[in-house]
Amino acid sequence: MKTRTDYHWFNTKHHREYVRITDLVEESVAKSGVQEGMVLVSAMHITAGVFVNDDEPGILQDIDEWLERLAPYRDDYRHHRTGETNGDSHLKNIMVHHQVILPITVGRLVLGPWQQVFYAEFDGQRRKRLIIKVMGE
Amino acid sequence: MKTRTDYHWFNTKHHREYVRITDLVEESVAKSGVQEGMVLVSAMHITAGVFVNDDEPGILQDIDEWLERLAPYRDDYRHHRTGETNGDSHLKNIMVHHQVILPITVGRLVLGPWQQVFYAEFDGQRRKRLIIKVMGE
Amino acid sequence: MKTRTDYHWFNTKHHREYVRITDLVEESVAKSGVQEGMVLVSAMHITAGVFVNDDEPGILQDIDEWLERLAPYRDDYRHHRTGETNGDSHLKNIMVHHQVILPITVGRLVLGPWQQVFYAEFDGQRRKRLIIKVMGE
């Protein structure tokens, strides 16, 4: 069995931002030498997520507006009594989920025709970390 | 370590449809010969999902109506400027997630008493693909 | 390759309850002897979930209120024609998802600074089961 672990740091310009990371995942898979297996891609934060969707600017903005509609910024979250202001970022993280696991076949990351992997930042402008873990043989 | 990969195609009658695929997953697990491991079940599209829930017609319709309430069809998604009309299908995919990973123990897929695996089609009436990947030993 | 499977039972006091289970996951990882791998943490029910977020009472209550807002209890779910009253619990399960998979590196569960694992009960006051499956080497 082979495994490989890579970490990546993000420090987004915007409070919320969607960063395509398919290349980073493919790079980890290639370097791992794994032919058959799986790769876990996971945000190490409770205010960031990872999802698979289309790299089309319109839909990414639709997703962002939709997340803000369903999990909006509000002053009165109980979490804000701690001095935080990012209650909505936690809810957005729950909504999109913080991780995906993707198949590796014949040494390649397997994605469908339009599937791209995104790091979803919901409380950016600070250093945040992502883990990519490859496992297989 | 053993792995096995199976692909399945769907072409649903309806625009949105929920297809029970527990049997397909069990078949992959049985054929793989894996005694202890995990199986990844993943839609290869950005407008379809995979989830685990109850195979009860009422709840499946409740889930469908609830998804349409929270991620409704709308004319004015930005994604539609590309000519597409399936913005809501992308949002429904984000909501239910495109994959699950399930445990295999003593050669059997392990599910709770009411857990069934579903392929959730949000933009059907065309050929779409699912990957099942078994890994273990 | 090594694997280890542990089951845990919950019988929560409240109808909805969020139980921190990071310690249980760490215990499984330690006992497995796995140095490099992954651990799957999965509710075996269609009315309970598993998620990773912050162990801060305010945000947990915010999450609970938000789930009730987006997937509310209602009398008129179709599922209730079966005699059940837990339609909303199914929807909440879809929303937070029933499983997470977490990385193991150098024999330790890898979590970010504020990440804690929670069992999310949406239809409690009865015995429910969780599976933890470790895989790696």
Side-chain angles (χ1 to χ4, degrees):
Chain A
M1 219 190 83
K2 286 176 180 170
T3 61
R4 178 186 172 91
T5 309
D6 290 305
Y7 293 95
H8 297 279
W9 289 94
F10 297 87
N11 192 341
T12 60
K13 276 189 197 160
H14 303 284
H15 180 57
R16 295 206 303 273
E17 202 168 314
Y18 306 92
V19 185
R20 192 178 69 176
I21 56 170
T22 314
D23 291 357
L24 297 178
V25 183
E26 284 173 339
E27 195 183 301
S28 290
V29 170
K31 287 185 179 166
S32 73
V34 166
Q35 294 298 301
E36 296 291 324
M38 297 181 192
V39 54
L40 172 64
V41 186
S42 185
M44 299 185 72
H45 298 267
I46 53 195
T47 53
V50 173
F51 66 80
V52 168
N53 215 284
D54 192 358
D55 189 18
E56 191 278 301
I59 196 67
L60 290 174
Q61 207 170 332
D62 289 329
I63 290 169
D64 185 69
E65 289 170 8
W66 172 72
L67 288 172
E68 182 58 23
R69 209 151 50 233
L70 293 189
Y73 174 82
R74 284 170 52 171
D75 280 332
D76 64 348
Y77 287 123
R78 290 164 196 275
H79 184 50
H80 294 178
R81 297 181 191 171
T82 63
E84 292 286 352
T85 56
N86 61 2
D88 69 299
S89 315
H90 289 256
L91 303 182
K92 290 175 173 94
N93 156 284
I94 298 273
M95 224 168 143
V96 310
H97 235 55
H98 78 285
Q99 40 114 106
V100 297
I101 184 156
L102 303 164
I104 301 164
T105 299
V106 200
R108 299 286 300 269
L109 180 65
V110 180
L111 290 170
W114 301 99
Q115 289 185 312
Q116 298 285 344
V117 191
F118 288 90
Y119 170 76
E121 179 60 82
F122 300 125
D123 188 18
Q125 298 163 320
R126 63 183 81 180
R127 274 163 59 79
K128 310 268 287 253
R129 203 153 65 128
L130 177 88
I131 182 169
I132 300 177
K133 182 127 202 161
V134 186
M135 183 161 100
E137 76 171 6
Chain B
M1 217 189 84
K2 287 175 180 170
T3 61
R4 179 188 172 90
T5 309
D6 292 304
Y7 293 95
H8 298 278
W9 289 94
F10 297 87
N11 192 341
T12 60
K13 278 189 196 160
H14 303 285
H15 179 59
R16 296 207 302 274
E17 201 168 315
Y18 305 92
V19 184
R20 193 178 69 175
I21 56 171
T22 315
D23 291 356
L24 297 178
V25 183
E26 284 173 340
E27 196 183 300
S28 290
V29 170
K31 287 184 178 165
S32 72
V34 165
Q35 293 298 300
E36 297 290 324
M38 296 179 193
V39 53
L40 172 63
V41 186
S42 185
M44 300 186 71
H45 298 268
I46 53 195
T47 54
V50 173
F51 67 79
V52 169
N53 214 284
D54 192 358
D55 188 17
E56 191 278 303
I59 195 67
L60 290 174
Q61 206 171 332
D62 289 330
I63 290 169
D64 185 68
E65 289 170 9
W66 172 72
L67 289 171
E68 182 59 22
R69 210 153 47 233
L70 293 190
Y73 175 81
R74 284 170 52 171
D75 280 331
D76 64 347
Y77 287 122
R78 291 164 196 276
H79 184 50
H80 295 177
R81 296 182 192 170
T82 63
E84 292 285 355
T85 56
N86 61 3
D88 69 298
S89 315
H90 289 257
L91 303 182
K92 289 176 174 93
N93 157 283
I94 298 273
M95 230 175 134
V96 310
H97 235 56
H98 77 286
Q99 42 113 108
V100 296
I101 185 157
L102 303 164
I104 300 164
T105 300
V106 200
R108 300 287 300 269
L109 179 66
V110 179
L111 290 170
W114 300 99
Q115 289 184 313
Q116 298 285 343
V117 190
F118 288 90
Y119 170 75
E121 179 59 83
F122 300 125
D123 188 18
Q125 298 164 320
R126 64 183 80 181
R127 274 164 60 78
K128 310 267 288 252
R129 203 152 64 129
L130 177 88
I131 183 171
I132 300 177
K133 181 126 203 164
V134 186
M135 184 161 102
E137 76 171 7
Chain C
M1 220 191 81
K2 286 175 181 171
T3 61
R4 180 189 172 90
T5 309
D6 291 304
Y7 293 96
H8 296 279
W9 289 94
F10 296 87
N11 192 340
T12 60
K13 277 189 197 160
H14 303 284
H15 180 58
R16 295 206 303 272
E17 201 168 315
Y18 305 91
V19 185
R20 192 178 71 178
I21 56 170
T22 314
D23 292 355
L24 297 178
V25 183
E26 284 173 339
E27 195 182 301
S28 290
V29 170
K31 287 183 178 168
S32 73
V34 165
Q35 293 298 300
E36 297 291 323
M38 296 180 192
V39 53
L40 172 63
V41 186
S42 185
M44 300 186 71
H45 298 267
I46 54 196
T47 54
V50 173
F51 67 79
V52 168
N53 214 283
D54 192 359
D55 189 17
E56 191 278 301
I59 195 66
L60 289 174
Q61 206 170 333
D62 288 330
I63 290 170
D64 184 69
E65 289 170 9
W66 172 72
L67 288 171
E68 182 58 23
R69 209 152 48 234
L70 292 189
Y73 174 81
R74 285 171 51 172
D75 280 331
D76 64 347
Y77 287 122
R78 290 164 197 275
H79 184 51
H80 294 178
R81 297 180 191 172
T82 64
E84 291 285 354
T85 55
N86 61 2
D88 69 299
S89 314
H90 289 256
L91 303 182
K92 290 176 173 95
N93 156 283
I94 298 274
M95 223 169 144
V96 311
H97 234 56
H98 77 285
Q99 42 113 108
V100 297
I101 185 156
L102 303 164
I104 301 164
T105 299
V106 202
R108 299 287 300 267
L109 180 66
V110 179
L111 289 170
W114 300 99
Q115 288 184 312
Q116 298 285 344
V117 190
F118 288 90
Y119 170 75
E121 179 60 82
F122 299 125
D123 188 17
Q125 297 163 320
R126 62 183 81 180
R127 274 163 60 79
K128 309 267 288 255
R129 204 153 64 129
L130 176 89
I131 183 170
I132 299 178
K133 181 125 202 164
V134 186
M135 185 161 100
E137 75 172 8

